[in-house]
Amino acid sequence: MGIEDVLSDLKKKIQDKLPKGITISDLEFEGPELVIYTVDPKAFADNGDIIRSLAKDLRMRLVVRPDPRMLAEPELAIKKIAEIVPAESGVTNHYFDTETGEVIIEAEKPGLVIGRHGSTLREITKHIGWTPKVVRTPPIESTTVRDIRRYLRNVKDERKAILQVIGKKIHRPITSKEQWIRITTLGGCKEVGRSSFLLSTPETRILIDCGVSTGAEANGTPYLYVPEVSPLSNIDAVVLTHAHLDHCGMIPLLYKYGYEGPVYMTPPTRDLMALLQLDYIEVANREGKRPPYESAMIRETLKHTITLNYGDVTDIAPDIRLTFYNSGHILGSAIAHFHVGEGLYNVAFSGDFKYEKTRLFDPAVNQFPRIETMVMESTYGGMHDMQPSRREAEIDLQNIIRRTLQRGGKALVPTFAVGRSQEVMIVLEEAIRKGIIDNVPVYLDGMIWEATAIHTTYPEYLNVELQDMIFHKGQNPFLSSSFVQVDSQQKRQSILADPSPCIVLATSGMMNGGPVMEYFKQYGADKRNTLIFVGYQAEGTMGRRIQKGWTEIPMSTEGRTDVMRVEMEVATVDGFSGHSDRRQLMEWVKRMDPRPERIITNHGDENKCLDLASSIYKKYKHETKSPMNLETIRLI
Amino acid sequence: MGIEDVLSDLKKKIQDKLPKGITISDLEFEGPELVIYTVDPKAFADNGDIIRSLAKDLRMRLVVRPDPRMLAEPELAIKKIAEIVPAESGVTNHYFDTETGEVIIEAEKPGLVIGRHGSTLREITKHIGWTPKVVRTPPIESTTVRDIRRYLRNVKDERKAILQVIGKKIHRPITSKEQWIRITTLGGCKEVGRSSFLLSTPETRILIDCGVSTGAEANGTPYLYVPEVSPLSNIDAVVLTHAHLDHCGMIPLLYKYGYEGPVYMTPPTRDLMALLQLDYIEVANREGKRPPYESAMIRETLKHTITLNYGDVTDIAPDIRLTFYNSGHILGSAIAHFHVGEGLYNVAFSGDFKYEKTRLFDPAVNQFPRIETMVMESTYGGMHDMQPSRREAEIDLQNIIRRTLQRGGKALVPTFAVGRSQEVMIVLEEAIRKGIIDNVPVYLDGMIWEATAIHTTYPEYLNVELQDMIFHKGQNPFLSSSFVQVDSQQKRQSILADPSPCIVLATSGMMNGGPVMEYFKQYGADKRNTLIFVGYQAEGTMGRRIQKGWTEIPMSTEGRTDVMRVEMEVATVDGFSGHSDRRQLMEWVKRMDPRPERIITNHGDENKCLDLASSIYKKYKHETKSPMNLETIRLI
Ligand SMILES: [Zn+2]
Ligand SMILES: [Zn+2]
Ligand SMILES: [Zn+2]
Ligand SMILES: [Zn+2]
Ligand SMILES: [Zn+2]
């Protein structure tokens, strides 16, 4: 049975289930979706539940597209849309794609364009023929989001062709009679960095994450040259848990070396990934290192990206369904859950996760329809890796900043652009709003502003309280007037010259370069100021040295090296980590439902991975394993 | 640095070490050997130790060949050889190869042609120019040995070309900077049958064994389709531990699917392997099953076979040296020991082994220069898998046969052709010689005679006592006049019709077909006769049923099915197994020197592999592991 038979079978099944008079003109696969072409788009729209119940019956993601003859003229369509959607939706743009019959509507409040269960969307289809897709107008202008959306519109024809090829591969008939499932560890085991796993069955090969160890001189790349992943063109799909470089840094390299398949991730992960990958090669170039790929390969990655929201159950291979679940670590971060075969086996990869409610996110999910093996991170898996609660950390931070401002000083917080910066921003906004700390400007320098803009584009990925504040109370903390973007050297100079108290969040988080160093040079000699570490400082970084108490710091300015005396207060606030601490890791496993048979630990120093594995075995009696890189574990 | 640089480096090194006046005209690699061409073969021969000390310095296997101009005419050479070697050598044939300058001398007593430390060989070279190689004239004519030797002479040009390609690959410069060693399990884990492992480094892939599960309907073949061994042409070498089909049965398939490299084994393993593989496809054809390969692929295997004796340390890849050690299981059976890198790591695969002195073999070796990981068989690895000693088994067998013969009966022993048959033959020869049992004929039917002939071709592979008997006492038990070959249906009929007492050894060992069935039909109804099982009877075989006490056996003769009543005595003699029992397995590990860090168990039912592994861990504290098929274990 070939793919054509699969399609004609499906056509018959669908036609049987449709009310009389609704006809299908064509069917085709586009990536994981089945596209139904019809001359009666209005009829589909009239029967709101048809698609939902068809999708459920077929266990497939369905899209209905109008026959091109049914499409209204764009100008007319724009007028109609404006009549249908409420004025408060704030529609800012329309993009018509005659190839797919889709109109992308960019709006400030996408929910109002969608309507309850998609009722407004169907209303639009009924009147204009076009299939509307809605995206949010970022409330803070994000160049990343704008550039990615524009790029994807520019390559839409090529992308459609790619999706058709992918679609045929996903829905190919299963040929193998053997049954086995294996995990091969390609990186990130007994270490942090270059995370990568291969999940394989007789039918399919899935790569989960493909990170880089940015610090490493050698061994920065996962073991992509071993036969298990050769040739790369034999891989069916790449699945990305989240946008940090230790998980996504080497994905563009796959396209450089012959991979042509899809990469699945959540929508915010896509945008953050592109931001961080571009920064990665820019930093490498600036430091005179040859980056392993060029920006063209990042665009290639975007061209092959298929986004899935949390909870979307999606066929990504003939025998594998993928579902993403919130992992509470950074915006869009996900646990990747794989259902293999029809009820054969379930395995999930936690990626990085936080099992505690934070200002930004709900705690990581640990309830799954089924789960036999969980591959989990162990960053803080050691016996003594306990951290203060988020609440304690917040109070700590507020106290330090309050006393700094009260003595007329400036608070300088080195942070990475994604995740911790936004957590700290929310805390500061509340503290200022409630008068706990003085109302001073909070300057955001480096990529923080851009990363924040991406956060505001996807409020659905924030926790319920924050969504409630944004959607129902009209109070988006990120839009607070306290936050000031530092978007030019001139602006930075004026801030550096200004003697009044303020707060500065600047990259990089470990003070090995980035704008934070300019503030440090300026503020370091004044006892009233405070340098506040909110994240882990790796051994060998400038941040670590200062944290350890070095007071004489060699600094090179324009080729000259001066020794700088640190007079400012140096403080460390623990508890803002995006990773679960030891207690949270154990609790997450304990409360997992259903109970998995086996736990595989990774993403941590060797002793952390081993300690966590043996503690879980001793306490909860799961079979556990802490593999090295380059091992293959048979699950079934 | 390419292979040409390697060779010119070597040439310089060798020339530096040679006495003045001896010159090298050319150097080339042939398989693992370095061939030195010289116009002074006599000078090399005069300086007996040159080659040995050169080989030691270079850590390479060396061969010196005369420049073709230096070769005497064959007729003259034959006359000279006859003058040099003692008359008792019993030279039966000469084969001259002008391509290599080699003359193969077939002699009844090869040792006399070789002389002490090769002195007679060098004497021959000095006089005729040709390089002599000596092989034994089988004292019992073996068609297998004759056919293989003839075949290899016929394809010698092609074989030389193959060896040159292999030689270049083995000595290629190492390119990878990574360091890791992995074992991938492809078959024979938690099961008996289709044994196969992949040993891999960044530079090299070695396949150890490639067996077949003959009983299996599906899953008879190792997992050769997985990416770790794809394409097969990327494998550097195949190494075979011994000739049983569960270890060698699928090697010809490798050549069918694109493998073109060498397969290393001991000389007796080569001949037994060809015998058993040919029988395997013949039986399949007879039973109307399609064999997985044709005899042409067995010839292809022979063409690529490189034989190594126990103890020969041989480069088989740029970073791997192989040494075979006696495993005491069957003729030529070996433990394959791999030295990886220069002192980096040592791992060995036991194959099947017997850790007890038997009539034929010395106990399996467990002393190695170095050993970090041992992969060992677990056939009798269960807690209660104890067997009587070989001595007890022998007495048991003698008693049963004595009482059978004394009451005028016949003793019928179903056995497999290789291994147990020859053990039983030695016991019977001694018992008859010493008058413990009556002097009756011992008929050998099926492939037993042929397998015995191969045993007599390689007495160096038998234990010291047996060698002593054969070489120094001129008493080869296999040549006893008690043994009678059954080589025709007519002969068999006359034996079946003869009423006098006798002993019959016939295949197959589990009574699922073969000539043993004809004797059983004839002898089964007479109470004076005895059926004696000396080997394991697998569940589902006719042998197992009779052993369990079935007395009414359905037998089909020429399409008709009759029920046969078994009246003959049925006896089982335990203790003749070629496998170590539980106690021997444990002792072998305990006394291993040096102590390996890790033991990996395989080749046994799941519970045997697990039980043995956990017992070794508990008792001796080695790290142990019992992998499933399709796993990859990282050693370093
Ligand atoms: Zn992360
Ligand atoms: Zn990570
Ligand atoms: Zn284990
Ligand atoms: Zn064997
Ligand atoms: Zn075996």
Side-chain angles (χ1 to χ4, degrees), chain B residues 382-545:
Chain B
M383 191 69 77
H384 305 292
D385 292 341
M386 303 300 188
Q387 290 186 337
S389 73
R390 194 55 68 108
R391 188 77 205 115
E392 292 171 272
E394 291 181 3
I395 291 170
D396 208 7
L397 178 67
Q398 288 169 357
N399 288 342
I400 294 168
I401 291 181
R402 190 173 45 212
R403 73 167 176 257
T404 303
L405 300 177
Q406 279 173 354
R407 70 189 173 214
K410 296 156 190 293
L412 175 60
V413 185
T415 68
F416 287 106
V418 175
R420 227 149 312 185
S421 293
Q422 288 74 35
E423 283 278 322
V424 170
M425 283 170 71
I426 305 273
V427 175
L428 295 179
E429 190 274 337
E430 193 191 81
I432 290 169
R433 180 159 39 84
K434 294 191 172 169
I436 296 170
I437 59 173
D438 293 346
N439 190 353
V440 298
V442 179
Y443 297 112
L444 307 175
D445 203 343
M447 275 179 354
I448 297 171
W449 185 268
E450 184 54 31
T452 304
I454 296 173
H455 280 68
T456 64
T457 309
Y458 299 101
E460 306 86 345
Y461 280 81
L462 303 172
N463 70 25
V464 184
E465 283 74 13
L466 207 44
Q467 283 190 41
D468 190 54
M469 262 174 82
I470 293 169
F471 291 134
H472 301 118
K473 305 200 179 121
Q475 208 178 64
N476 188 331
F478 293 122
L479 306 182
S480 160
S481 60
S482 296
F483 298 122
V484 182
Q485 180 184 16
V486 185
D487 52 3
S488 66
Q489 184 57 31
Q490 198 184 339
K491 176 101 193 175
R492 190 177 297 137
Q493 287 309 332
S494 81
I495 294 165
L496 287 167
D498 185 343
S500 28
C502 68
I503 301 169
V504 178
L505 270 58
T507 55
S508 81
M510 295 191 195
M511 300 185 71
N512 39 7
V516 70
M517 299 315 288
E518 303 203 32
Y519 296 92
F520 179 60
K521 275 185 228 173
Q522 184 71 25
Y523 298 165
D526 189 334
K527 287 184 170 191
R528 291 174 304 168
N529 300 336
T530 310
L531 179 67
I532 310 172
F533 293 109
V534 293
Y536 176 70
Q537 304 297 306
E539 212 53 61
T541 60
M542 177 72 79
R544 183 87 181 114
R545 286 189 202 124

Side-chain angles (χ1 to χ4, degrees), chain A residues 48-49 52 86 110-123:
Chain A
D49 284 334
R52 277 205 293 159
L112 296 182
V113 183
I114 293 166
R116 191 172 155 72
H117 287 316
S119 57
T120 311
L121 288 184
R122 285 193 296 276
E123 192 68 16

Side-chain angles (χ1 to χ4, degrees), chain A residues 624-625, chain B residues 624-625:
Chain A
T624 60
K625 184 161 175 68
Chain B
T624 60
K625 185 160 173 71

